[in-house]
Amino acid sequence: MLHSIKRFLIGKPLKSQSAGEQKLTKLKALAMLSSDALSSVAYGTEQILIILAAVSAAAFWYSVPIAAGVLILLLALILSYRQIIYAYPQGGGAYMVSKENLGEKPGLIAGGSLLVDYILTVAVSISAGTDAITSAFPGLHDYHLPIAVLLVIVIMILNLRGLSESASILAYPVYLFVVALIILIAVGSYKLATGQIDTAHHTPIGTPVAGITLFLLLKAFSSGCSALTGVEAISNAIPAFKNPSAKNAAKTLAMMGILLAVLFTGITLLAFGYGTAPKPNETVISQIAAETFGRNSFYYVIQGVTSLILILAANTGFSAFPQLAFNLARDQYMPRMFTVRGDRLGFSNGIIFLGVASILLILLFGGQTEHLIPLYAVGVFIPFTLSQTGMCVKWIRQKPKGWAGKMMINAAGAAISFMVLSILFVTKFYLVWPVLIFMPPVVLLFFAIKNHYTSVGEQLRIVNKPAEEIKGTVVIVPIAGVTTVVEKSIQYAKSLSDQVIAVHVSFDKEHEKKVEKRWEELNNGVRLVTLHSSYRSLVHPFDKFLETVEAKARKRQFSVMVLFPQFITKKRWHTILHNQSAFLLRVRLFWKKDIIVATLPYHFKK
């Protein structure tokens, strides 16, 4: 039944040779990897206006030059990441660039920041989209958390079905959002140009405003930079593109940059032209759409696709996180399970891990993740800064043709990214300080995993020295009673060694005597050792007995094997009707260095 459900949700397994068919075209990749960046248009301008509103509505004209600053940063990042795509076509983005050019620790900081950022992307996007749904349907407000969890599961399942299939499904709402906003911007701009909108509501650009400070302007700029989250996702997922992958990724990045610039600029200019002020119960885009079209059907279309794009922004995380986790796991900084492809050729372990982690984050914060947005921005600008700095180092070291111009582009990106990162820490330290707490443990965990794999490799490596001589084996067979399963296990043990010991742990004397009597009747030539447990513990007395056997075997250069008779029920649910004592003993023995643990299964027929 579980297998049937899995096949229904995820689909039939694909052959490894079909991997090429799962790669993305430019249009599909744009929808899959740009949803986070494009969705930020829904709140980027609003974040700027919220900060400026602390002074007065007269300060709203500053949103225009602040937006221009954000666009300059966007241009620098697009040009910089375009160079990263061609320099590192194997993917990995900021992690690979930082690790190769700045060293292991900066690389892990960049990689760790992005991994955490993708988890935040899913949690924040899903929570924001759920807020939009419950705002439209207030009766669903009490079900905010179940709706958010359900949405994460739905997007996770879509991604488990494979890149190509999920991209085909998710492309429609993304492009519908783009088309709807372009229509909104075009109609709104036409109404402003023809005087159909009263422009008396806004303060002209250049008007002096009392109370405005550099600190506040920098804070507004850093808030507006939240519109740039997700720009790096394409450089992390280059292997997901159809060949030529680097060229297609670079074109997709350019298309994303153009769309993001057009939408962000259009919404900011309309907000300024309309004199729109942020409201606690209505978004800026909602106000602009209502002013442009009235509360008609197209207004609700815009609200609907905006809510949908906020939810689908989570898909950028599901697209980029598994690929980045694969790169880290390939370098032995994350568990190897992240390198394994699932039935549909995606890195399903990474997809499932991201889904579970984001659900836990949503539940932990009760679906109210507003305070995570500044962390969300910091998580992006740390790798922005490190990757651009790493590219500068690369050009200086290698000095390829035209390296000076390339370095200037990356240097500009590094300088602006570092400036934004510094502004975030200075103006919003009370919100972003947790990044200083959780990043060191993340990096230390990477090193711990790497050290483990290194030590395992050293121990598994074949060396030219004689192996320790083993003169024989003592086979110990734990038994709960005298049964057909035990009898066959003893026969098998005798085929392995002439030194076999059966061990029975007894809780009461009467049962102990019955077992001993039946054992004598078998007359199989194997010694039975009975251990009485006054405290009804299987593990402790058996453990003590093994220590004694181990000590004697070590002196005689014998190995010790514990052979567990294990019966297998015909139906899986029958398993819960039986004690799992053998399982408990096996788990205990796994941690003993000099014990060989083996299981002899016996299958029931009915």
Side-chain angles (χ1 to χ4, degrees):
M1 182 178 176
L2 291 175
H3 178 77
S4 300
I5 294 172
K6 180 181 178 182
R7 293 282 74 84
F8 173 75
L9 293 175
I10 298 175
K12 295 180 180 179
L14 297 173
K15 293 181 179 180
S16 298
Q17 294 89 330
S18 303
E21 299 171 11
Q22 287 297 302
K23 291 185 178 293
L24 301 174
T25 62
K26 293 187 288 293
L27 289 179
K28 286 185 177 181
L30 182 62
M32 284 282 286
L33 299 170
S34 301
S35 53
D36 180 24
L38 296 177
S39 72
S40 61
V41 173
Y43 53 79
T45 300
E46 188 164 8
Q47 292 296 311
I48 296 173
L49 295 176
I50 288 172
I51 301 300
L52 295 176
V55 179
S56 68
F60 287 163
W61 72 264
Y62 282 101
S63 64
V64 176
I66 289 172
V70 173
L71 290 175
I72 291 171
L73 176 55
L74 173 63
L75 176 62
L77 290 174
I78 295 295
L79 292 175
S80 299
Y81 272 103
R82 186 176 182 275
Q83 296 187 161
I84 289 175
I85 287 172
Y86 284 114
Y88 294 89
Q90 69 273 33
Y95 161 67
M96 294 294 293
V97 176
S98 304
K99 179 174 174 285
E100 183 175 302
N101 299 290
L102 301 179
E104 186 180 29
K105 289 179 182 177
L108 294 179
I109 291 172
S113 298
L114 283 174
L115 287 179
V116 173
D117 183 68
Y118 290 138
I119 297 173
L120 291 172
T121 296
V122 176
V124 171
S125 300
I126 293 294
S127 295
T130 306
D131 284 340
I133 292 172
T134 55
S135 296
F137 304 98
L140 297 176
H141 185 74
D142 292 339
Y143 303 98
H144 184 278
L145 284 179
I147 291 171
V149 171
L150 178 63
L151 288 172
V152 173
I153 293 172
V154 168
I155 295 179
M156 181 177 74
I157 291 173
L158 283 175
N159 281 273
L160 288 173
R161 292 187 67 88
L163 276 176
S164 183
E165 187 168 337
S166 58
S168 299
I169 296 171
L170 298 173
Y172 294 105
V174 172
Y175 287 122
L176 185 60
F177 169 78
V178 171
V179 170
L181 254 64
I182 288 176
I183 292 172
L184 172 64
I185 292 167
V187 175
S189 300
Y190 174 77
K191 288 191 172 184
L192 278 174
T194 56
Q196 297 180 45
I197 301 295
D198 185 6
T199 58
H201 296 298
H202 71 252
T203 306
I205 293 176
T207 303
V209 179
I212 201 76
T213 63
L214 178 61
F215 179 84
L216 189 136
L217 291 175
L218 291 175
K219 189 176 182 179
F221 174 69
S222 65
S223 295
C225 287
S226 61
L228 303 180
T229 54
V231 169
E232 81 299 329
I234 291 175
S235 68
N236 286 324
I238 301 170
F241 284 81
K242 285 186 177 291
N243 290 325
S245 55
K247 187 176 180 180
N248 287 332
K251 289 182 178 179
T252 305
L253 180 68
M255 288 190 289
M256 181 190 70
I258 292 169
L259 283 177
L260 181 56
V262 169
L263 298 181
F264 178 67
T265 302
I267 294 299
T268 302
L269 291 177
L270 286 183
F272 168 69
Y274 287 11
T276 306
K279 295 180 181 179
N281 57 350
E282 186 177 9
T283 64
V284 165
I285 284 187
S286 173
Q287 294 180 62
I288 293 172
E291 185 76 21
T292 304
F293 299 108
R295 306 257 174 189
N296 60 13
S297 57
F298 198 75
Y299 164 82
Y300 288 105
V301 168
I302 289 176
Q303 288 299 95
V305 294
T306 301
S307 301
L308 201 54
I309 194 69
L310 286 170
I311 295 170
L312 294 182
N315 199 64
T316 294
F318 278 106
S319 302
F321 181 98
Q323 185 65 49
L324 179 57
F326 166 80
N327 286 319
L328 283 159
R330 184 185 56 191
D331 293 339
Q332 299 187 336
Y333 293 111
M334 287 186 72
R336 285 176 181 158
M337 67 177 187
F338 290 106
T339 64
V340 178
R341 292 186 182 273
D343 288 351
R344 304 289 291 183
L345 299 178
F347 297 112
S348 51
N349 288 325
I351 293 169
I352 294 170
F353 178 87
L354 176 60
V356 172
S358 57
I359 287 173
L360 291 175
L361 197 61
I362 289 170
L363 295 176
L364 182 64
F365 284 84
Q368 306 300 318
T369 52
E370 295 85 357
H371 295 300
L372 296 178
I373 292 178
L375 288 175
Y376 181 31
V378 169
V380 171
F381 278 97
I382 288 175
F384 277 178
T385 305
L386 290 172
S387 62
Q388 305 313 315
T389 304
M391 289 300 290
C392 290
V393 173
K394 178 183 177 69
W395 302 136
I396 292 172
R397 284 177 179 170
Q398 298 179 357
K399 293 184 173 61
K401 184 178 179 180
W403 69 274
K406 294 177 179 179
M407 192 191 74
M408 287 180 65
I409 292 173
N410 288 121
I416 299 173
S417 297
F418 181 73
M419 180 184 71
V420 174
L421 185 62
S422 302
I423 292 170
L424 281 167
F425 272 106
V426 171
T427 61
K428 298 185 177 182
F429 184 78
Y430 65 99
L431 292 175
V432 302
W433 63 266
V435 76
L436 302 176
I437 304 298
F438 67 71
M439 275 310 300
V442 169
V443 175
L444 289 175
L445 179 61
F446 288 152
F447 279 116
I449 294 171
K450 175 76 170 182
N451 290 338
H452 168 74
Y453 283 132
T454 301
S455 64
V456 167
E458 290 173 353
Q459 294 171 77
L460 295 179
R461 192 174 297 117
I462 297 175
V463 293
N464 295 322
K465 68 176 184 179
E468 294 181 8
E469 184 181 359
I470 297 176
K471 296 182 177 179
T473 302
V474 178
V475 181
I476 298 171
V477 183
I479 67 169
V482 181
T483 63
T484 302
V485 178
V486 169
E487 187 178 17
K488 291 189 175 183
S489 300
I490 293 296
Q491 291 174 0
Y492 179 72
K494 289 171 71 175
S495 71
L496 298 176
S497 172
D498 57 359
Q499 300 187 70
V500 180
I501 304 172
V503 179
H504 172 65
V505 180
S506 170
F507 294 162
D508 65 80
K509 292 294 183 180
E510 289 187 11
H511 182 68
E512 181 180 324
K513 290 178 182 179
K514 289 180 181 178
V515 171
E516 289 176 341
K517 184 179 178 180
R518 294 195 62 188
W519 191 261
E520 288 178 4
E521 293 172 355
L522 279 180
N523 192 27
N524 55 19
V526 173
R527 174 190 169 198
L528 173 67
V529 175
T530 304
L531 307 173
H532 185 74
S533 177
S534 301
Y535 295 96
R536 300 160 306 285
S537 169
L538 280 173
V539 175
H540 185 68
F542 190 73
D543 209 21
K544 288 291 184 183
F545 174 74
L546 276 182
E547 288 178 5
T548 304
V549 175
E550 273 187 281
K552 292 181 180 180
R554 200 176 295 115
K555 289 180 181 179
R556 297 169 56 192
Q557 292 182 297
F558 272 63
S559 64
V560 179
M561 173 189 286
V562 179
L563 178 66
F564 287 97
Q566 176 84 47
F567 57 76
I568 311 298
T569 58
K570 185 177 180 181
K571 296 181 180 179
R572 292 183 182 181
W573 70 269
H574 288 171
T575 304
I576 63 174
L577 303 178
H578 302 274
N579 292 328
Q580 302 300 317
S581 52
F583 173 76
L584 295 174
L585 288 173
R586 282 203 307 272
V587 171
R588 174 75 174 183
L589 295 183
F590 285 152
W591 305 105
K592 286 188 170 289
K593 295 180 181 179
D594 301 319
I595 299 289
I596 301 167
V597 180
T599 301
L600 186 65
Y602 180 87
H603 292 266
F604 288 153
K605 296 179 181 178
K606 58 182 180 180

